[in-house]
Amino acid sequence: DQQVKQNSPSLSVQEGRISILNCDYTNSMFDYFLWYKKYPAEGPTFLISISSIKDKNEDGRFTVFLNKSAKHLSLHIVPSQPGDSAVYFCAASDFGNEKLTFGTGTRLTIIP
Amino acid sequence: DSGVTQTPKHLITATGQRVTLRCSPRSGDLSVYWYQQSLDQGLQFLIQYYNGEERAKGNILERFSAQQFPDLHSELNLSSLELGDSALYFCASSAIVSGSETQYFGPGTRLLVL
């Protein structure tokens, strides 16, 4: 039972353009969502998060949008840079339960 | 560098054997989480410890066990190893970021069971 889904295993975007990574979830108890970036042979690196009381959170080039009614979140990266090439995981947790449920990841490739 | 350390980086062993993976959380973090990432799989939560006590359990096999010591480092013990246990094992520790708990991951231990 995949409670967090990333339906695009891979995405290619030209340098300078916007990258949009999508994530859907099924558990309505999830109230905190995170995006992690992972390079090969390294652990996931925390990127940005959003709680369910917000619908948008920005940090520099990264913006996360949350649509609770659609149980959907997205990560926007603008402008995309070659160093953004990595696997991106979305993750979710519910109040009082700190464990994270991860999606299967989207491999983002930025084309110079 | 997340501040979470894991040893060893790589481990190669045979079926039926037992291994111990070690994790040191970030300074001051009381929680340690263990995750498994198999080929083509997302990260699967295994178990969480908080200040020496087991706090939550996920998809952890009975052949696997963990503990957290008084100095807050944690060990994940995998026994009677099978080929399917080959995976990346990550530990994480957590901190409060903007009012919510955020996990920071170590570099992982790559386990290969032959």
Side-chain angles (χ1 to χ4, degrees), chain B residues 50-72:
Chain B
Y50 180 84
N51 203 20
E53 301 285 328
E54 183 186 298
R55 181 104 156 207
K57 236 173 180 175
N59 300 325
I60 187 165
L61 300 171
E62 282 192 23
R63 301 183 285 109
F64 295 2
S65 65
Q67 53 185 326
Q68 187 179 25
F69 295 86
D71 67 352
L72 301 177

mmCIF file with all atom_site columns, all heavy atoms in Angstrom, chain B residues 50-72:
data_model
loop_
_atom_site.group_PDB
_atom_site.id
_atom_site.type_symbol
_atom_site.label_atom_id
_atom_site.label_alt_id
_atom_site.label_comp_id
_atom_site.label_asym_id
_atom_site.label_entity_id
_atom_site.label_seq_id
_atom_site.pdbx_PDB_ins_code
_atom_site.Cartn_x
_atom_site.Cartn_y
_atom_site.Cartn_z
_atom_site.occupancy
_atom_site.B_iso_or_equiv
_atom_site.pdbx_formal_charge
_atom_site.auth_seq_id
_atom_site.auth_comp_id
_atom_site.auth_asym_id
_atom_site.auth_atom_id
_atom_site.pdbx_PDB_model_num
ATOM 1   N N   . TYR B 1 50 ? 14.039 6.751   20.840 1.00 0.00 ? 50 TYR B N   1
ATOM 2   C CA  . TYR B 1 50 ? 14.078 8.075   21.434 1.00 0.00 ? 50 TYR B CA  1
ATOM 3   C C   . TYR B 1 50 ? 14.691 7.955   22.824 1.00 0.00 ? 50 TYR B C   1
ATOM 4   O O   . TYR B 1 50 ? 14.129 7.295   23.693 1.00 0.00 ? 50 TYR B O   1
ATOM 5   C CB  . TYR B 1 50 ? 12.678 8.702   21.510 1.00 0.00 ? 50 TYR B CB  1
ATOM 6   C CG  . TYR B 1 50 ? 12.666 10.077  22.128 1.00 0.00 ? 50 TYR B CG  1
ATOM 7   C CD1 . TYR B 1 50 ? 12.948 11.195  21.355 1.00 0.00 ? 50 TYR B CD1 1
ATOM 8   C CD2 . TYR B 1 50 ? 12.387 10.254  23.479 1.00 0.00 ? 50 TYR B CD2 1
ATOM 9   C CE1 . TYR B 1 50 ? 12.958 12.464  21.919 1.00 0.00 ? 50 TYR B CE1 1
ATOM 10  C CE2 . TYR B 1 50 ? 12.397 11.509  24.045 1.00 0.00 ? 50 TYR B CE2 1
ATOM 11  C CZ  . TYR B 1 50 ? 12.679 12.621  23.266 1.00 0.00 ? 50 TYR B CZ  1
ATOM 12  O OH  . TYR B 1 50 ? 12.695 13.874  23.821 1.00 0.00 ? 50 TYR B OH  1
ATOM 13  N N   . ASN B 1 51 ? 15.838 8.572   22.984 1.00 0.00 ? 51 ASN B N   1
ATOM 14  C CA  . ASN B 1 51 ? 16.519 8.617   24.285 1.00 0.00 ? 51 ASN B CA  1
ATOM 15  C C   . ASN B 1 51 ? 16.640 7.212   24.915 1.00 0.00 ? 51 ASN B C   1
ATOM 16  O O   . ASN B 1 51 ? 16.395 7.032   26.099 1.00 0.00 ? 51 ASN B O   1
ATOM 17  C CB  . ASN B 1 51 ? 15.777 9.561   25.226 1.00 0.00 ? 51 ASN B CB  1
ATOM 18  C CG  . ASN B 1 51 ? 16.677 10.077  26.340 1.00 0.00 ? 51 ASN B CG  1
ATOM 19  O OD1 . ASN B 1 51 ? 17.905 10.045  26.239 1.00 0.00 ? 51 ASN B OD1 1
ATOM 20  N ND2 . ASN B 1 51 ? 16.077 10.544  27.415 1.00 0.00 ? 51 ASN B ND2 1
ATOM 21  N N   . GLY B 1 52 ? 16.983 6.259   24.090 1.00 0.00 ? 52 GLY B N   1
ATOM 22  C CA  . GLY B 1 52 ? 17.247 4.912   24.581 1.00 0.00 ? 52 GLY B CA  1
ATOM 23  C C   . GLY B 1 52 ? 16.062 3.963   24.544 1.00 0.00 ? 52 GLY B C   1
ATOM 24  O O   . GLY B 1 52 ? 16.224 2.757   24.743 1.00 0.00 ? 52 GLY B O   1
ATOM 25  N N   . GLU B 1 53 ? 14.871 4.496   24.270 1.00 0.00 ? 53 GLU B N   1
ATOM 26  C CA  . GLU B 1 53 ? 13.681 3.644   24.275 1.00 0.00 ? 53 GLU B CA  1
ATOM 27  C C   . GLU B 1 53 ? 13.125 3.498   22.861 1.00 0.00 ? 53 GLU B C   1
ATOM 28  O O   . GLU B 1 53 ? 13.098 4.460   22.089 1.00 0.00 ? 53 GLU B O   1
ATOM 29  C CB  . GLU B 1 53 ? 12.585 4.272   25.155 1.00 0.00 ? 53 GLU B CB  1
ATOM 30  C CG  . GLU B 1 53 ? 12.986 4.494   26.600 1.00 0.00 ? 53 GLU B CG  1
ATOM 31  C CD  . GLU B 1 53 ? 13.002 3.207   27.396 1.00 0.00 ? 53 GLU B CD  1
ATOM 32  O OE1 . GLU B 1 53 ? 12.185 2.306   27.095 1.00 0.00 ? 53 GLU B OE1 1
ATOM 33  O OE2 . GLU B 1 53 ? 13.835 3.077   28.308 1.00 0.00 ? 53 GLU B OE2 1
ATOM 34  N N   . GLU B 1 54 ? 12.627 2.308   22.558 1.00 0.00 ? 54 GLU B N   1
ATOM 35  C CA  . GLU B 1 54 ? 11.961 2.118   21.271 1.00 0.00 ? 54 GLU B CA  1
ATOM 36  C C   . GLU B 1 54 ? 10.686 2.936   21.242 1.00 0.00 ? 54 GLU B C   1
ATOM 37  O O   . GLU B 1 54 ? 9.862  2.860   22.164 1.00 0.00 ? 54 GLU B O   1
ATOM 38  C CB  . GLU B 1 54 ? 11.646 0.631   21.072 1.00 0.00 ? 54 GLU B CB  1
ATOM 39  C CG  . GLU B 1 54 ? 11.018 0.328   19.716 1.00 0.00 ? 54 GLU B CG  1
ATOM 40  C CD  . GLU B 1 54 ? 10.599 -1.128  19.621 1.00 0.00 ? 54 GLU B CD  1
ATOM 41  O OE1 . GLU B 1 54 ? 11.476 -2.013  19.712 1.00 0.00 ? 54 GLU B OE1 1
ATOM 42  O OE2 . GLU B 1 54 ? 9.392  -1.378  19.444 1.00 0.00 ? 54 GLU B OE2 1
ATOM 43  N N   . ARG B 1 55 ? 10.500 3.706   20.153 1.00 0.00 ? 55 ARG B N   1
ATOM 44  C CA  . ARG B 1 55 ? 9.347  4.611   20.084 1.00 0.00 ? 55 ARG B CA  1
ATOM 45  C C   . ARG B 1 55 ? 8.337  4.169   19.025 1.00 0.00 ? 55 ARG B C   1
ATOM 46  O O   . ARG B 1 55 ? 7.149  4.335   19.191 1.00 0.00 ? 55 ARG B O   1
ATOM 47  C CB  . ARG B 1 55 ? 9.853  6.008   19.736 1.00 0.00 ? 55 ARG B CB  1
ATOM 48  C CG  . ARG B 1 55 ? 8.786  7.055   19.648 1.00 0.00 ? 55 ARG B CG  1
ATOM 49  C CD  . ARG B 1 55 ? 8.820  7.920   20.864 1.00 0.00 ? 55 ARG B CD  1
ATOM 50  N NE  . ARG B 1 55 ? 8.238  9.219   20.605 1.00 0.00 ? 55 ARG B NE  1
ATOM 51  C CZ  . ARG B 1 55 ? 8.562  10.311  21.265 1.00 0.00 ? 55 ARG B CZ  1
ATOM 52  N NH1 . ARG B 1 55 ? 9.484  10.280  22.190 1.00 0.00 ? 55 ARG B NH1 1
ATOM 53  N NH2 . ARG B 1 55 ? 7.982  11.439  21.006 1.00 0.00 ? 55 ARG B NH2 1
ATOM 54  N N   . ALA B 1 56 ? 8.829  3.671   17.912 1.00 0.00 ? 56 ALA B N   1
ATOM 55  C CA  . ALA B 1 56 ? 7.919  3.257   16.841 1.00 0.00 ? 56 ALA B CA  1
ATOM 56  C C   . ALA B 1 56 ? 8.594  2.181   16.019 1.00 0.00 ? 56 ALA B C   1
ATOM 57  O O   . ALA B 1 56 ? 9.819  2.136   15.902 1.00 0.00 ? 56 ALA B O   1
ATOM 58  C CB  . ALA B 1 56 ? 7.557  4.441   15.945 1.00 0.00 ? 56 ALA B CB  1
ATOM 59  N N   . LYS B 1 57 ? 7.751  1.298   15.488 1.00 0.00 ? 57 LYS B N   1
ATOM 60  C CA  . LYS B 1 57 ? 8.255  0.198   14.668 1.00 0.00 ? 57 LYS B CA  1
ATOM 61  C C   . LYS B 1 57 ? 7.565  0.236   13.322 1.00 0.00 ? 57 LYS B C   1
ATOM 62  O O   . LYS B 1 57 ? 6.359  0.460   13.243 1.00 0.00 ? 57 LYS B O   1
ATOM 63  C CB  . LYS B 1 57 ? 7.937  -1.119  15.361 1.00 0.00 ? 57 LYS B CB  1
ATOM 64  C CG  . LYS B 1 57 ? 9.119  -2.015  15.617 1.00 0.00 ? 57 LYS B CG  1
ATOM 65  C CD  . LYS B 1 57 ? 8.721  -3.211  16.443 1.00 0.00 ? 57 LYS B CD  1
ATOM 66  C CE  . LYS B 1 57 ? 9.927  -4.089  16.669 1.00 0.00 ? 57 LYS B CE  1
ATOM 67  N NZ  . LYS B 1 57 ? 9.685  -5.207  17.550 1.00 0.00 ? 57 LYS B NZ  1
ATOM 68  N N   . GLY B 1 58 ? 8.320  -0.024  12.299 1.00 0.00 ? 58 GLY B N   1
ATOM 69  C CA  . GLY B 1 58 ? 7.757  -0.085  10.958 1.00 0.00 ? 58 GLY B CA  1
ATOM 70  C C   . GLY B 1 58 ? 7.878  -1.471  10.402 1.00 0.00 ? 58 GLY B C   1
ATOM 71  O O   . GLY B 1 58 ? 7.648  -2.460  11.092 1.00 0.00 ? 58 GLY B O   1
ATOM 72  N N   . ASN B 1 59 ? 8.292  -1.555  9.141  1.00 0.00 ? 59 ASN B N   1
ATOM 73  C CA  . ASN B 1 59 ? 8.394  -2.859  8.474  1.00 0.00 ? 59 ASN B CA  1
ATOM 74  C C   . ASN B 1 59 ? 9.706  -3.551  8.810  1.00 0.00 ? 59 ASN B C   1
ATOM 75  O O   . ASN B 1 59 ? 10.483 -3.888  7.922  1.00 0.00 ? 59 ASN B O   1
ATOM 76  C CB  . ASN B 1 59 ? 8.304  -2.663  6.960  1.00 0.00 ? 59 ASN B CB  1
ATOM 77  C CG  . ASN B 1 59 ? 6.992  -2.028  6.566  1.00 0.00 ? 59 ASN B CG  1
ATOM 78  O OD1 . ASN B 1 59 ? 5.968  -2.292  7.164  1.00 0.00 ? 59 ASN B OD1 1
ATOM 79  N ND2 . ASN B 1 59 ? 7.030  -1.165  5.567  1.00 0.00 ? 59 ASN B ND2 1
ATOM 80  N N   . ILE B 1 60 ? 9.934  -3.787  10.066 1.00 0.00 ? 60 ILE B N   1
ATOM 81  C CA  . ILE B 1 60 ? 11.205 -4.392  10.455 1.00 0.00 ? 60 ILE B CA  1
ATOM 82  C C   . ILE B 1 60 ? 11.008 -5.887  10.665 1.00 0.00 ? 60 ILE B C   1
ATOM 83  O O   . ILE B 1 60 ? 10.073 -6.323  11.345 1.00 0.00 ? 60 ILE B O   1
ATOM 84  C CB  . ILE B 1 60 ? 11.797 -3.712  11.716 1.00 0.00 ? 60 ILE B CB  1
ATOM 85  C CG1 . ILE B 1 60 ? 13.200 -4.243  12.016 1.00 0.00 ? 60 ILE B CG1 1
ATOM 86  C CG2 . ILE B 1 60 ? 10.862 -3.813  12.919 1.00 0.00 ? 60 ILE B CG2 1
ATOM 87  C CD1 . ILE B 1 60 ? 13.983 -3.399  12.996 1.00 0.00 ? 60 ILE B CD1 1
ATOM 88  N N   . LEU B 1 61 ? 11.870 -6.680  10.050 1.00 0.00 ? 61 LEU B N   1
ATOM 89  C CA  . LEU B 1 61 ? 11.778 -8.130  10.172 1.00 0.00 ? 61 LEU B CA  1
ATOM 90  C C   . LEU B 1 61 ? 12.194 -8.572  11.572 1.00 0.00 ? 61 LEU B C   1
ATOM 91  O O   . LEU B 1 61 ? 12.969 -7.887  12.245 1.00 0.00 ? 61 LEU B O   1
ATOM 92  C CB  . LEU B 1 61 ? 12.705 -8.790  9.134  1.00 0.00 ? 61 LEU B CB  1
ATOM 93  C CG  . LEU B 1 61 ? 12.414 -8.462  7.666  1.00 0.00 ? 61 LEU B CG  1
ATOM 94  C CD1 . LEU B 1 61 ? 13.532 -8.998  6.784  1.00 0.00 ? 61 LEU B CD1 1
ATOM 95  C CD2 . LEU B 1 61 ? 11.080 -9.053  7.239  1.00 0.00 ? 61 LEU B CD2 1
ATOM 96  N N   . GLU B 1 62 ? 11.705 -9.749  11.956 1.00 0.00 ? 62 GLU B N   1
ATOM 97  C CA  . GLU B 1 62 ? 12.080 -10.265 13.277 1.00 0.00 ? 62 GLU B CA  1
ATOM 98  C C   . GLU B 1 62 ? 13.559 -10.586 13.363 1.00 0.00 ? 62 GLU B C   1
ATOM 99  O O   . GLU B 1 62 ? 14.136 -10.598 14.450 1.00 0.00 ? 62 GLU B O   1
ATOM 100 C CB  . GLU B 1 62 ? 11.252 -11.521 13.577 1.00 0.00 ? 62 GLU B CB  1
ATOM 101 C CG  . GLU B 1 62 ? 9.845  -11.193 14.003 1.00 0.00 ? 62 GLU B CG  1
ATOM 102 C CD  . GLU B 1 62 ? 9.117  -12.408 14.565 1.00 0.00 ? 62 GLU B CD  1
ATOM 103 O OE1 . GLU B 1 62 ? 9.772  -13.360 15.016 1.00 0.00 ? 62 GLU B OE1 1
ATOM 104 O OE2 . GLU B 1 62 ? 7.877  -12.388 14.542 1.00 0.00 ? 62 GLU B OE2 1
ATOM 105 N N   . ARG B 1 63 ? 14.180 -10.822 12.223 1.00 0.00 ? 63 ARG B N   1
ATOM 106 C CA  . ARG B 1 63 ? 15.627 -11.104 12.199 1.00 0.00 ? 63 ARG B CA  1
ATOM 107 C C   . ARG B 1 63 ? 16.450 -9.849  12.457 1.00 0.00 ? 63 ARG B C   1
ATOM 108 O O   . ARG B 1 63 ? 17.667 -9.921  12.644 1.00 0.00 ? 63 ARG B O   1
ATOM 109 C CB  . ARG B 1 63 ? 16.035 -11.674 10.827 1.00 0.00 ? 63 ARG B CB  1
ATOM 110 C CG  . ARG B 1 63 ? 15.336 -12.950 10.438 1.00 0.00 ? 63 ARG B CG  1
ATOM 111 C CD  . ARG B 1 63 ? 15.838 -13.478 9.110  1.00 0.00 ? 63 ARG B CD  1
ATOM 112 N NE  . ARG B 1 63 ? 15.342 -12.738 7.974  1.00 0.00 ? 63 ARG B NE  1
ATOM 113 C CZ  . ARG B 1 63 ? 16.081 -11.930 7.212  1.00 0.00 ? 63 ARG B CZ  1
ATOM 114 N NH1 . ARG B 1 63 ? 17.367 -11.727 7.490  1.00 0.00 ? 63 ARG B NH1 1
ATOM 115 N NH2 . ARG B 1 63 ? 15.557 -11.301 6.170  1.00 0.00 ? 63 ARG B NH2 1
ATOM 116 N N   . PHE B 1 64 ? 15.792 -8.699  12.427 1.00 0.00 ? 64 PHE B N   1
ATOM 117 C CA  . PHE B 1 64 ? 16.490 -7.428  12.627 1.00 0.00 ? 64 PHE B CA  1
ATOM 118 C C   . PHE B 1 64 ? 16.145 -6.903  14.024 1.00 0.00 ? 64 PHE B C   1
ATOM 119 O O   . PHE B 1 64 ? 15.012 -7.026  14.492 1.00 0.00 ? 64 PHE B O   1
ATOM 120 C CB  . PHE B 1 64 ? 16.047 -6.396  11.598 1.00 0.00 ? 64 PHE B CB  1
ATOM 121 C CG  . PHE B 1 64 ? 16.408 -6.716  10.173 1.00 0.00 ? 64 PHE B CG  1
ATOM 122 C CD1 . PHE B 1 64 ? 17.050 -7.887  9.804  1.00 0.00 ? 64 PHE B CD1 1
ATOM 123 C CD2 . PHE B 1 64 ? 16.067 -5.816  9.164  1.00 0.00 ? 64 PHE B CD2 1
ATOM 124 C CE1 . PHE B 1 64 ? 17.363 -8.157  8.480  1.00 0.00 ? 64 PHE B CE1 1
ATOM 125 C CE2 . PHE B 1 64 ? 16.378 -6.073  7.832  1.00 0.00 ? 64 PHE B CE2 1
ATOM 126 C CZ  . PHE B 1 64 ? 17.030 -7.248  7.495  1.00 0.00 ? 64 PHE B CZ  1
ATOM 127 N N   . SER B 1 65 ? 17.120 -6.267  14.649 1.00 0.00 ? 65 SER B N   1
ATOM 128 C CA  . SER B 1 65 ? 16.855 -5.624  15.930 1.00 0.00 ? 65 SER B CA  1
ATOM 129 C C   . SER B 1 65 ? 17.726 -4.389  16.033 1.00 0.00 ? 65 SER B C   1
ATOM 130 O O   . SER B 1 65 ? 18.702 -4.236  15.294 1.00 0.00 ? 65 SER B O   1
ATOM 131 C CB  . SER B 1 65 ? 17.142 -6.573  17.090 1.00 0.00 ? 65 SER B CB  1
ATOM 132 O OG  . SER B 1 65 ? 18.524 -6.885  17.128 1.00 0.00 ? 65 SER B OG  1
ATOM 133 N N   . ALA B 1 66 ? 17.360 -3.517  16.919 1.00 0.00 ? 66 ALA B N   1
ATOM 134 C CA  . ALA B 1 66 ? 18.129 -2.286  17.090 1.00 0.00 ? 66 ALA B CA  1
ATOM 135 C C   . ALA B 1 66 ? 18.161 -1.933  18.559 1.00 0.00 ? 66 ALA B C   1
ATOM 136 O O   . ALA B 1 66 ? 17.381 -2.445  19.368 1.00 0.00 ? 66 ALA B O   1
ATOM 137 C CB  . ALA B 1 66 ? 17.517 -1.150  16.264 1.00 0.00 ? 66 ALA B CB  1
ATOM 138 N N   . GLN B 1 67 ? 19.071 -1.045  18.897 1.00 0.00 ? 67 GLN B N   1
ATOM 139 C CA  . GLN B 1 67 ? 19.090 -0.493  20.238 1.00 0.00 ? 67 GLN B CA  1
ATOM 140 C C   . GLN B 1 67 ? 19.765 0.880   20.193 1.00 0.00 ? 67 GLN B C   1
ATOM 141 O O   . GLN B 1 67 ? 20.501 1.189   19.256 1.00 0.00 ? 67 GLN B O   1
ATOM 142 C CB  . GLN B 1 67 ? 19.804 -1.416  21.222 1.00 0.00 ? 67 GLN B CB  1
ATOM 143 C CG  . GLN B 1 67 ? 21.189 -1.867  20.829 1.00 0.00 ? 67 GLN B CG  1
ATOM 144 C CD  . GLN B 1 67 ? 21.766 -2.874  21.821 1.00 0.00 ? 67 GLN B CD  1
ATOM 145 O OE1 . GLN B 1 67 ? 21.508 -2.805  23.021 1.00 0.00 ? 67 GLN B OE1 1
ATOM 146 N NE2 . GLN B 1 67 ? 22.563 -3.806  21.339 1.00 0.00 ? 67 GLN B NE2 1
ATOM 147 N N   . GLN B 1 68 ? 19.468 1.661   21.198 1.00 0.00 ? 68 GLN B N   1
ATOM 148 C CA  . GLN B 1 68 ? 20.103 2.966   21.343 1.00 0.00 ? 68 GLN B CA  1
ATOM 149 C C   . GLN B 1 68 ? 20.761 2.998   22.719 1.00 0.00 ? 68 GLN B C   1
ATOM 150 O O   . GLN B 1 68 ? 20.135 2.679   23.732 1.00 0.00 ? 68 GLN B O   1
ATOM 151 C CB  . GLN B 1 68 ? 19.093 4.106   21.213 1.00 0.00 ? 68 GLN B CB  1
ATOM 152 C CG  . GLN B 1 68 ? 19.743 5.479   21.183 1.00 0.00 ? 68 GLN B CG  1
ATOM 153 C CD  . GLN B 1 68 ? 18.741 6.610   21.029 1.00 0.00 ? 68 GLN B CD  1
ATOM 154 O OE1 . GLN B 1 68 ? 17.577 6.483   21.387 1.00 0.00 ? 68 GLN B OE1 1
ATOM 155 N NE2 . GLN B 1 68 ? 19.194 7.739   20.503 1.00 0.00 ? 68 GLN B NE2 1
ATOM 156 N N   . PHE B 1 69 ? 21.994 3.412   22.742 1.00 0.00 ? 69 PHE B N   1
ATOM 157 C CA  . PHE B 1 69 ? 22.804 3.363   23.944 1.00 0.00 ? 69 PHE B CA  1
ATOM 158 C C   . PHE B 1 69 ? 22.733 4.682   24.711 1.00 0.00 ? 69 PHE B C   1
ATOM 159 O O   . PHE B 1 69 ? 22.258 5.690   24.190 1.00 0.00 ? 69 PHE B O   1
ATOM 160 C CB  . PHE B 1 69 ? 24.250 3.021   23.558 1.00 0.00 ? 69 PHE B CB  1
ATOM 161 C CG  . PHE B 1 69 ? 24.380 1.648   22.962 1.00 0.00 ? 69 PHE B CG  1
ATOM 162 C CD1 . PHE B 1 69 ? 24.181 1.433   21.605 1.00 0.00 ? 69 PHE B CD1 1
ATOM 163 C CD2 . PHE B 1 69 ? 24.678 0.554   23.758 1.00 0.00 ? 69 PHE B CD2 1
ATOM 164 C CE1 . PHE B 1 69 ? 24.280 0.159   21.052 1.00 0.00 ? 69 PHE B CE1 1
ATOM 165 C CE2 . PHE B 1 69 ? 24.780 -0.718  23.217 1.00 0.00 ? 69 PHE B CE2 1
ATOM 166 C CZ  . PHE B 1 69 ? 24.579 -0.913  21.866 1.00 0.00 ? 69 PHE B CZ  1
ATOM 167 N N   . PRO B 1 70 ? 23.212 4.692   25.973 1.00 0.00 ? 70 PRO B N   1
ATOM 168 C CA  . PRO B 1 70 ? 23.163 5.925   26.772 1.00 0.00 ? 70 PRO B CA  1
ATOM 169 C C   . PRO B 1 70 ? 23.838 7.121   26.112 1.00 0.00 ? 70 PRO B C   1
ATOM 170 O O   . PRO B 1 70 ? 23.421 8.269   26.334 1.00 0.00 ? 70 PRO B O   1
ATOM 171 C CB  . PRO B 1 70 ? 23.865 5.526   28.069 1.00 0.00 ? 70 PRO B CB  1
ATOM 172 C CG  . PRO B 1 70 ? 23.604 4.063   28.195 1.00 0.00 ? 70 PRO B CG  1
ATOM 173 C CD  . PRO B 1 70 ? 23.641 3.532   26.795 1.00 0.00 ? 70 PRO B CD  1
ATOM 174 N N   . ASP B 1 71 ? 24.853 6.884   25.277 1.00 0.00 ? 71 ASP B N   1
ATOM 175 C CA  . ASP B 1 71 ? 25.476 8.030   24.604 1.00 0.00 ? 71 ASP B CA  1
ATOM 176 C C   . ASP B 1 71 ? 24.707 8.409   23.334 1.00 0.00 ? 71 ASP B C   1
ATOM 177 O O   . ASP B 1 71 ? 25.152 9.268   22.575 1.00 0.00 ? 71 ASP B O   1
ATOM 178 C CB  . ASP B 1 71 ? 26.952 7.738   24.267 1.00 0.00 ? 71 ASP B CB  1
ATOM 179 C CG  . ASP B 1 71 ? 27.108 6.650   23.211 1.00 0.00 ? 71 ASP B CG  1
ATOM 180 O OD1 . ASP B 1 71 ? 26.090 6.016   22.840 1.00 0.00 ? 71 ASP B OD1 1
ATOM 181 O OD2 . ASP B 1 71 ? 28.240 6.429   22.757 1.00 0.00 ? 71 ASP B OD2 1
ATOM 182 N N   . LEU B 1 72 ? 23.576 7.787   23.120 1.00 0.00 ? 72 LEU B N   1
ATOM 183 C CA  . LEU B 1 72 ? 22.607 8.055   22.046 1.00 0.00 ? 72 LEU B CA  1
ATOM 184 C C   . LEU B 1 72 ? 22.993 7.466   20.690 1.00 0.00 ? 72 LEU B C   1
ATOM 185 O O   . LEU B 1 72 ? 22.190 7.559   19.749 1.00 0.00 ? 72 LEU B O   1
ATOM 186 C CB  . LEU B 1 72 ? 22.312 9.552   21.903 1.00 0.00 ? 72 LEU B CB  1
ATOM 187 C CG  . LEU B 1 72 ? 21.744 10.203  23.167 1.00 0.00 ? 72 LEU B CG  1
ATOM 188 C CD1 . LEU B 1 72 ? 21.562 11.699  22.961 1.00 0.00 ? 72 LEU B CD1 1
ATOM 189 C CD2 . LEU B 1 72 ? 20.418 9.549   23.557 1.00 0.00 ? 72 LEU B CD2 1
#
